[in-house]
Amino acid sequence: MSEITHPDKQTLVSADAETSLSRFSTQRFSIAPMLDWTDRHCRHFHRLMSREALLYTEMVTTGAIIHGKGDYLAFGEQEHPVALQLGGSNPQDLATCAKLAEQRGYDEINLNVGCPSDRVQNGMFGACLMAQATLVADCIKAMRDVVSIPVTVKTRIGIDDQDSYEFLCDFVHQVSTRGECDTFIIHARKAWLSGLSPKENREIPPLDYPRVYQLKRDFPQLTMAINGGIKTLEEAKLHLQHMDGVMVGREAYQNPSMLLDVDSQLFGAQANPLTGPDVIRALYPYIEAELAKGTYLGHITRHILGLFQGIPGARQWRRHLSENAHKPGAGVDVVEQALMMVTRPQQTSE
């Protein structure tokens, strides 16, 4: 195999360059917090493609931060702007974690009021909190009182049979007034707290974008981003005619090449000069540093499998990484070998 070379640093989007976030809400485009997906390896990869997108951590519970043995607040400096999503319902615990997160350098704290899983409900956080607007408001206020960075809420449009527009408005009113929360990310589906799995809750309850648009019209003083079912930047632009921001989840993860156009199309910033192969090779120094710390290659490469979706050789790319990244001693050469299958595709079609 030929010697692996890294792109010249001048070809990368400069991490020190002044971003255009000041011209827009920082919520203009964000990548959703996704449990088991948006870990620090994933966020580093996504940041190579967009300097402007707001990145979110996976949901981290207050119990894990306060009582856990690991460092659940770890992130890389190159990830900014990056928000920590917290799961919890105890105002004092949330305030403690928010303060720790601000000290660590996070740019935003977000409270999860949208996850519908049984495990989350048993811990008294997530979507079930929509039924307790006063408690959510107290949680937000407790965090706002101890930090200077933004504290935001990610929620649904309703839960179970509590899905009227009046219910949603009352929730937003209480959290924004009593809790002094000025930013909401609204998943445009309600959540069924029983009978549907978390995956089904992302697909079965129908999307209701007009309801979220109406919410923004009725609370014009609040910053609101919309989430749920957004698959293209063209769709994002349509939503931005009504909302302050859009949050994309699964599509950004499964088809990450869309992120290469976010800065130019949604922020009016300089286009990212990198191609897909450039992005992968720009990831090599990070991979090498992580391998030196004992990280397994597969923990990083699982996030990059979808980059070449629809491109000849993409299937071979995915297969080579899936079959080889977990082998003992697997390193950057495995990724380079897989990359050759895309840049020099075989005769077999995708």
Coordinates of all heavy atoms in Angstrom, one line a residue, residues 111-183:
L111 N -32.1 20.4 28.1 CA -32.8 19.4 28.9 C -33.7 18.5 28.1 O -34.5 19.0 27.3 CB -33.7 20.1 30.0 CG -34.5 19.2 30.9 CD1 -33.6 18.4 31.8 CD2 -35.5 20.0 31.8
N112 N -33.5 17.2 28.2 CA -34.3 16.2 27.4 C -35.7 16.1 28.0 O -35.9 15.6 29.1 CB -33.6 14.9 27.5 CG -34.3 13.8 26.6 OD1 -35.5 13.8 26.5 ND2 -33.5 13.0 25.9
V113 N -36.7 16.6 27.2 CA -38.1 16.4 27.6 C -38.8 15.7 26.4 O -39.9 16.0 26.1 CB -38.8 17.8 27.9 CG1 -40.2 17.6 28.5 CG2 -37.9 18.5 28.9
G114 N -38.0 14.9 25.7 CA -38.6 14.2 24.5 C -38.4 12.8 24.4 O -39.1 12.1 23.6
C115 N -37.5 12.2 25.1 CA -37.2 10.7 25.0 C -38.3 9.9 25.6 O -38.6 10.1 26.8 CB -35.9 10.4 25.6 SG -35.4 8.6 25.4
P116 N -38.9 9.0 24.9 CA -40.0 8.2 25.4 C -39.8 6.8 25.9 O -40.7 6.1 26.3 CB -40.9 8.1 24.1 CG -39.9 7.9 23.0 CD -38.7 8.7 23.4
S117 N -38.5 6.4 26.1 CA -38.2 5.0 26.4 C -38.6 4.8 27.9 O -38.7 5.6 28.7 CB -36.7 4.7 26.3 OG -36.0 5.3 27.3
D118 N -38.9 3.5 28.1 CA -39.4 3.0 29.5 C -38.3 3.4 30.5 O -38.6 3.8 31.6 CB -39.7 1.5 29.5 CG -40.9 1.2 28.7 OD1 -41.7 2.1 28.5 OD2 -41.0 0.0 28.3
R119 N -37.0 3.1 30.1 CA -35.9 3.4 31.1 C -35.9 4.8 31.5 O -35.6 5.2 32.7 CB -34.6 2.9 30.4 CG -33.4 3.1 31.3 CD -32.2 2.4 30.7 NE -31.8 3.0 29.4 CZ -31.0 4.0 29.3 NH1 -30.5 4.6 30.4 NH2 -30.7 4.4 28.1
V120 N -36.1 5.7 30.5 CA -36.1 7.1 30.8 C -37.2 7.5 31.7 O -37.1 8.3 32.7 CB -36.1 7.9 29.5 CG1 -36.4 9.4 29.8 CG2 -34.8 7.8 28.8
Q121 N -38.4 6.9 31.4 CA -39.6 7.3 32.2 C -39.4 6.8 33.7 O -39.8 7.5 34.6 CB -40.8 6.6 31.7 CG -41.3 7.1 30.3 CD -42.5 6.3 29.8 OE1 -43.5 6.3 30.5 NE2 -42.4 5.7 28.6
N122 N -38.8 5.6 33.9 CA -38.6 5.1 35.2 C -37.6 6.0 36.0 O -37.7 6.1 37.2 CB -38.0 3.7 35.1 CG -39.0 2.7 34.6 OD1 -40.2 2.9 34.7 ND2 -38.5 1.6 34.0
G123 N -36.8 6.7 35.3 CA -35.9 7.7 35.9 C -36.5 9.1 36.1 O -35.8 10.0 36.5
M124 N -37.7 9.2 35.7 CA -38.5 10.5 35.8 C -37.8 11.6 35.0 O -37.5 12.7 35.5 CB -38.6 10.9 37.2 CG -40.0 10.6 37.8 SD -41.4 11.3 36.8 CE -41.1 13.1 37.1
F125 N -37.5 11.3 33.7 CA -37.0 12.3 32.8 C -37.4 11.9 31.4 O -37.9 10.8 31.2 CB -35.5 12.7 33.0 CG -34.6 11.5 32.9 CD1 -34.1 11.0 31.7 CD2 -34.2 10.8 34.1 CE1 -33.2 10.0 31.7 CE2 -33.4 9.7 34.0 CZ -32.8 9.3 32.8
G126 N -37.2 12.8 30.5 CA -37.6 12.6 29.1 C -39.0 13.1 28.9 O -39.5 14.0 29.5
A127 N -39.7 12.5 27.9 CA -41.0 13.0 27.4 C -42.1 13.0 28.5 O -43.0 13.9 28.5 CB -41.5 12.1 26.3
C128 N -42.0 12.1 29.5 CA -43.0 12.1 30.6 C -43.0 13.5 31.3 O -44.1 13.8 31.9 CB -42.8 11.0 31.5 SG -41.2 11.0 32.5
L129 N -42.0 14.2 31.2 CA -41.9 15.5 31.9 C -42.8 16.6 31.3 O -43.1 17.6 31.9 CB -40.5 16.0 32.0 CG -39.5 15.3 32.9 CD1 -38.1 15.9 32.8 CD2 -40.0 15.4 34.4
M130 N -43.3 16.3 30.1 CA -44.2 17.2 29.5 C -45.5 17.4 30.3 O -46.1 18.4 30.3 CB -44.6 16.8 28.1 CG -43.6 17.1 27.0 SD -44.4 17.2 25.3 CE -45.1 18.8 25.3
A131 N -45.8 16.4 31.1 CA -47.0 16.4 31.9 C -46.7 17.2 33.2 O -47.7 17.4 34.0 CB -47.5 15.0 32.3
Q132 N -45.5 17.6 33.4 CA -45.1 18.4 34.6 C -44.4 19.6 34.3 O -43.2 19.8 34.6 CB -44.3 17.5 35.5 CG -45.0 16.2 36.0 CD -44.2 15.5 37.1 OE1 -43.9 16.0 38.1 NE2 -43.9 14.2 36.8
A133 N -45.1 20.5 33.6 CA -44.5 21.8 33.1 C -43.9 22.6 34.3 O -42.8 23.2 34.1 CB -45.5 22.6 32.4
T134 N -44.5 22.6 35.4 CA -44.0 23.4 36.6 C -42.6 22.8 37.0 O -41.7 23.6 37.3 CB -44.9 23.4 37.8 OG1 -46.2 24.0 37.3 CG2 -44.4 24.1 38.9
L135 N -42.5 21.5 37.0 CA -41.2 20.9 37.4 C -40.2 21.2 36.4 O -39.0 21.5 36.7 CB -41.4 19.4 37.6 CG -40.1 18.6 37.8 CD1 -39.4 19.1 39.1 CD2 -40.4 17.1 37.9
V136 N -40.5 21.1 35.1 CA -39.5 21.4 34.0 C -39.1 22.9 34.2 O -37.9 23.2 34.1 CB -40.1 21.2 32.6 CG1 -39.2 21.7 31.5 CG2 -40.4 19.7 32.4
A137 N -40.0 23.8 34.4 CA -39.7 25.2 34.6 C -38.7 25.4 35.8 O -37.7 26.1 35.7 CB -41.0 26.0 34.8
D138 N -39.0 24.7 36.9 CA -38.1 24.8 38.0 C -36.7 24.2 37.7 O -35.7 24.8 38.2 CB -38.7 24.0 39.2 CG -39.9 24.7 39.8 OD1 -40.2 25.8 39.5 OD2 -40.7 24.0 40.5
C139 N -36.6 23.2 36.9 CA -35.3 22.6 36.5 C -34.6 23.6 35.7 O -33.4 23.8 35.9 CB -35.6 21.3 35.7 SG -36.2 19.9 36.7
I140 N -35.2 24.2 34.7 CA -34.6 25.2 33.8 C -34.1 26.4 34.6 O -33.0 26.9 34.5 CB -35.5 25.6 32.7 CG1 -35.9 24.5 31.8 CG2 -34.9 26.8 31.9 CD1 -34.7 23.8 31.1
K141 N -34.9 26.9 35.5 CA -34.6 28.1 36.3 C -33.4 27.7 37.2 O -32.5 28.6 37.4 CB -35.8 28.5 37.2 CG -35.6 29.8 38.0 CD -35.4 31.0 37.1 CE -35.5 32.3 37.8 NZ -34.5 32.4 38.9
A142 N -33.4 26.5 37.8 CA -32.3 26.2 38.7 C -30.9 26.2 37.9 O -29.9 26.6 38.4 CB -32.5 24.8 39.3
M143 N -31.0 25.7 36.7 CA -29.7 25.7 35.8 C -29.4 27.1 35.4 O -28.2 27.5 35.5 CB -29.9 24.8 34.6 CG -30.0 23.3 35.0 SD -29.9 22.2 33.6 CE -31.6 22.3 33.0
R144 N -30.4 27.9 35.0 CA -30.1 29.3 34.5 C -29.5 30.1 35.7 O -28.7 31.0 35.4 CB -31.4 29.9 34.0 CG -31.7 29.4 32.6 CD -33.0 30.2 32.1 NE -32.8 31.6 32.1 CZ -32.3 32.3 31.0 NH1 -31.9 31.6 29.9 NH2 -32.1 33.6 31.1
D145 N -29.9 29.8 36.9 CA -29.4 30.6 38.0 C -27.9 30.4 38.3 O -27.3 31.2 39.0 CB -30.2 30.3 39.3 CG -31.6 30.9 39.3 OD1 -31.9 31.8 38.4 OD2 -32.4 30.5 40.1
V146 N -27.4 29.3 37.8 CA -26.0 29.0 38.1 C -25.0 29.1 36.9 O -23.8 28.9 37.1 CB -25.8 27.7 38.8 CG1 -26.6 27.7 40.2 CG2 -26.3 26.5 38.0
V147 N -25.5 29.3 35.7 CA -24.7 29.3 34.5 C -25.0 30.6 33.7 O -26.1 31.1 33.8 CB -24.8 28.1 33.6 CG1 -24.4 26.8 34.4 CG2 -26.2 27.9 33.1
S148 N -24.1 30.9 32.9 CA -24.3 32.1 32.0 C -24.5 31.6 30.5 O -24.9 32.5 29.7 CB -23.1 33.0 32.1 OG -21.9 32.4 31.7
I149 N -24.3 30.4 30.2 CA -24.5 29.9 28.9 C -26.0 29.5 28.7 O -26.7 29.4 29.7 CB -23.6 28.6 28.6 CG1 -23.9 27.5 29.6 CG2 -22.1 29.0 28.6 CD1 -23.2 26.2 29.4
P150 N -26.4 29.4 27.5 CA -27.9 29.2 27.2 C -28.3 27.8 27.8 O -27.5 26.8 27.8 CB -28.0 29.1 25.7 CG -26.8 29.9 25.2 CD -25.7 29.7 26.2
V151 N -29.5 27.8 28.3 CA -30.2 26.6 28.8 C -31.4 26.4 28.0 O -32.3 27.3 28.0 CB -30.5 26.6 30.3 CG1 -31.2 25.3 30.7 CG2 -29.3 26.9 31.1
T152 N -31.5 25.3 27.3 CA -32.6 25.1 26.3 C -33.4 23.8 26.6 O -33.0 23.0 27.4 CB -32.1 25.0 24.9 OG1 -31.3 23.8 24.7 CG2 -31.2 26.2 24.5
V153 N -34.5 23.6 25.9 CA -35.4 22.5 26.1 C -35.6 21.8 24.8 O -35.9 22.5 23.8 CB -36.7 22.8 26.8 CG1 -37.7 21.7 26.7 CG2 -36.5 23.3 28.2
K154 N -35.5 20.5 24.7 CA -35.9 19.7 23.6 C -37.1 18.9 24.0 O -37.1 18.1 24.9 CB -34.8 18.8 23.0 CG -35.2 18.1 21.7 CD -34.0 17.3 21.2 CE -34.3 16.8 19.8 NZ -35.4 15.8 19.8
T155 N -38.2 19.1 23.3 CA -39.5 18.4 23.7 C -40.3 17.9 22.5 O -39.8 18.1 21.3 CB -40.3 19.4 24.5 OG1 -41.4 18.7 25.1 CG2 -40.8 20.6 23.7
R156 N -41.4 17.3 22.7 CA -42.3 16.9 21.7 C -43.5 17.8 21.6 O -43.6 18.8 22.3 CB -42.8 15.5 22.1 CG -41.8 14.4 22.1 CD -41.6 13.8 20.8 NE -40.6 12.6 20.8 CZ -40.7 11.6 20.0 NH1 -41.8 11.4 19.2 NH2 -39.8 10.6 20.0
I157 N -44.5 17.5 20.7 CA -45.7 18.4 20.7 C -46.8 17.9 21.6 O -47.8 18.5 21.7 CB -46.2 18.5 19.2 CG1 -46.5 17.1 18.6 CG2 -45.2 19.2 18.3 CD1 -47.2 17.2 17.3
G158 N -46.5 16.7 22.2 CA -47.5 16.2 23.2 C -47.1 14.8 23.6 O -46.2 14.2 23.0
I159 N -47.9 14.2 24.5 CA -47.7 12.9 25.0 C -49.0 12.2 25.2 O -50.0 12.8 25.7 CB -46.9 12.8 26.3 CG1 -47.5 13.7 27.4 CG2 -45.4 13.1 26.1 CD1 -46.9 13.6 28.7
D160 N -49.1 10.9 24.7 CA -50.3 10.1 24.9 C -51.5 10.9 24.4 O -51.5 11.5 23.3 CB -50.4 9.6 26.3 CG -49.3 8.7 26.7 OD1 -48.7 8.1 25.8 OD2 -49.0 8.6 27.9
D161 N -52.5 11.0 25.3 CA -53.7 11.7 24.9 C -53.6 13.2 25.3 O -54.6 14.0 25.0 CB -54.9 11.1 25.6 CG -55.2 9.7 25.1 OD1 -55.0 9.5 23.9 OD2 -55.6 8.8 25.9
Q162 N -52.5 13.6 25.8 CA -52.3 15.0 26.1 C -51.6 15.6 24.9 O -50.4 15.9 25.0 CB -51.5 15.2 27.4 CG -52.2 14.7 28.7 CD -51.3 14.8 29.9 OE1 -50.4 14.0 30.0 NE2 -51.6 15.7 30.8
D163 N -52.3 15.8 23.9 CA -51.7 16.2 22.6 C -52.5 17.4 21.9 O -52.3 17.6 20.7 CB -51.6 15.0 21.6 CG -53.0 14.5 21.3 OD1 -54.0 14.9 21.9 OD2 -53.1 13.6 20.4
S164 N -53.2 18.1 22.7 CA -53.9 19.3 22.2 C -52.9 20.4 22.0 O -51.9 20.5 22.6 CB -55.1 19.7 23.1 OG -54.6 20.3 24.3
Y165 N -53.3 21.3 21.1 CA -52.4 22.5 20.9 C -52.4 23.3 22.2 O -51.4 23.9 22.5 CB -52.9 23.4 19.7 CG -52.0 24.5 19.4 CD1 -50.7 24.3 19.0 CD2 -52.5 25.8 19.6 CE1 -49.9 25.4 18.7 CE2 -51.6 26.9 19.3 CZ -50.3 26.7 18.9 OH -49.5 27.7 18.7
E166 N -53.5 23.4 22.9 CA -53.6 24.1 24.2 C -52.6 23.5 25.2 O -51.9 24.3 25.9 CB -55.0 24.1 24.7 CG -56.0 24.9 23.9 CD -56.4 24.2 22.6 OE1 -56.2 23.0 22.5 OE2 -56.8 25.0 21.7
F167 N -52.5 22.2 25.2 CA -51.5 21.6 26.2 C -50.1 22.0 25.8 O -49.3 22.3 26.7 CB -51.7 20.1 26.1 CG -50.6 19.3 26.8 CD1 -50.7 19.1 28.2 CD2 -49.6 18.7 26.1 CE1 -49.7 18.4 28.9 CE2 -48.6 18.0 26.8 CZ -48.7 17.8 28.2
L168 N -49.8 22.0 24.5 CA -48.4 22.4 24.1 C -48.2 23.8 24.4 O -47.1 24.2 25.0 CB -48.3 22.1 22.6 CG -47.0 22.5 21.9 CD1 -45.8 21.8 22.6 CD2 -47.0 22.3 20.4
C169 N -49.1 24.7 24.2 CA -48.9 26.1 24.5 C -48.8 26.4 26.0 O -47.9 27.2 26.4 CB -50.1 26.9 24.0 SG -50.1 27.1 22.2
D170 N -49.5 25.6 26.8 CA -49.4 25.8 28.2 C -48.0 25.4 28.7 O -47.4 26.0 29.6 CB -50.5 25.0 28.9 CG -50.4 25.1 30.4 OD1 -50.7 26.3 30.9 OD2 -50.1 24.2 31.1
F171 N -47.5 24.3 28.1 CA -46.2 23.8 28.5 C -45.1 24.9 28.2 O -44.3 25.2 29.0 CB -45.9 22.5 27.8 CG -44.5 22.0 28.0 CD1 -44.2 21.3 29.1 CD2 -43.5 22.2 27.1 CE1 -42.9 20.8 29.4 CE2 -42.2 21.8 27.3 CZ -41.9 21.1 28.4
V172 N -45.2 25.4 27.0 CA -44.2 26.4 26.5 C -44.3 27.6 27.4 O -43.3 28.2 27.8 CB -44.3 26.6 25.0 CG1 -43.5 27.8 24.6 CG2 -44.0 25.4 24.2
H173 N -45.6 28.0 27.6 CA -45.8 29.3 28.4 C -45.2 29.1 29.8 O -44.5 30.0 30.3 CB -47.3 29.6 28.5 CG -47.6 30.7 29.4 ND1 -47.3 32.0 29.0 CD2 -48.1 30.8 30.6 CE1 -47.7 32.8 30.0 NE2 -48.2 32.1 31.0
Q174 N -45.5 28.0 30.5 CA -45.0 27.9 31.8 C -43.4 27.8 31.9 O -42.8 28.4 32.7 CB -45.6 26.6 32.5 CG -47.0 26.7 32.8 CD -47.5 25.7 33.8 OE1 -46.9 25.6 34.9 NE2 -48.5 24.9 33.5
V175 N -42.9 27.0 30.9 CA -41.4 26.8 31.0 C -40.7 28.1 30.6 O -39.6 28.4 31.1 CB -41.0 25.7 30.0 CG1 -39.5 25.5 30.0 CG2 -41.6 24.4 30.6
S176 N -41.3 28.9 29.7 CA -40.6 30.1 29.2 C -40.8 31.3 30.2 O -39.9 32.1 30.3 CB -41.2 30.6 27.9 OG -42.6 30.8 27.9
T177 N -41.9 31.3 31.0 CA -42.1 32.4 32.0 C -41.5 32.0 33.3 O -40.6 32.7 33.8 CB -43.6 32.7 32.1 OG1 -44.3 31.5 32.4 CG2 -44.1 33.3 30.8
R178 N -42.0 31.0 33.9 CA -41.5 30.5 35.2 C -40.1 30.1 35.2 O -39.3 30.4 36.1 CB -42.4 29.4 35.8 CG -42.0 28.9 37.2 CD -42.9 27.7 37.5 NE -42.5 27.2 38.8 CZ -43.2 27.3 40.0 NH1 -44.3 28.1 40.0 NH2 -42.8 26.8 41.1
G179 N -39.7 29.4 34.1 CA -38.4 28.8 34.0 C -37.4 29.8 33.3 O -36.2 29.5 33.2
E180 N -37.9 30.8 32.7 CA -37.1 31.8 31.9 C -36.3 31.2 30.8 O -35.2 31.6 30.5 CB -36.2 32.6 32.9 CG -36.9 33.3 34.0 CD -36.0 34.0 35.0 OE1 -34.7 34.0 34.7 OE2 -36.4 34.5 36.0
C181 N -37.0 30.2 30.2 CA -36.3 29.5 29.0 C -36.7 30.2 27.8 O -37.9 30.5 27.5 CB -36.8 28.0 28.9 SG -36.0 27.1 27.6
D182 N -35.8 30.6 26.9 CA -36.1 31.3 25.7 C -35.8 30.6 24.4 O -36.0 31.1 23.3 CB -35.3 32.7 25.7 CG -33.8 32.5 25.7 OD1 -33.3 31.3 25.6 OD2 -33.1 33.5 25.9
T183 N -35.4 29.3 24.6 CA -35.1 28.5 23.4 C -35.7 27.1 23.5 O -35.4 26.4 24.5 CB -33.6 28.4 23.1 OG1 -33.1 29.7 23.0 CG2 -33.3 27.6 21.9

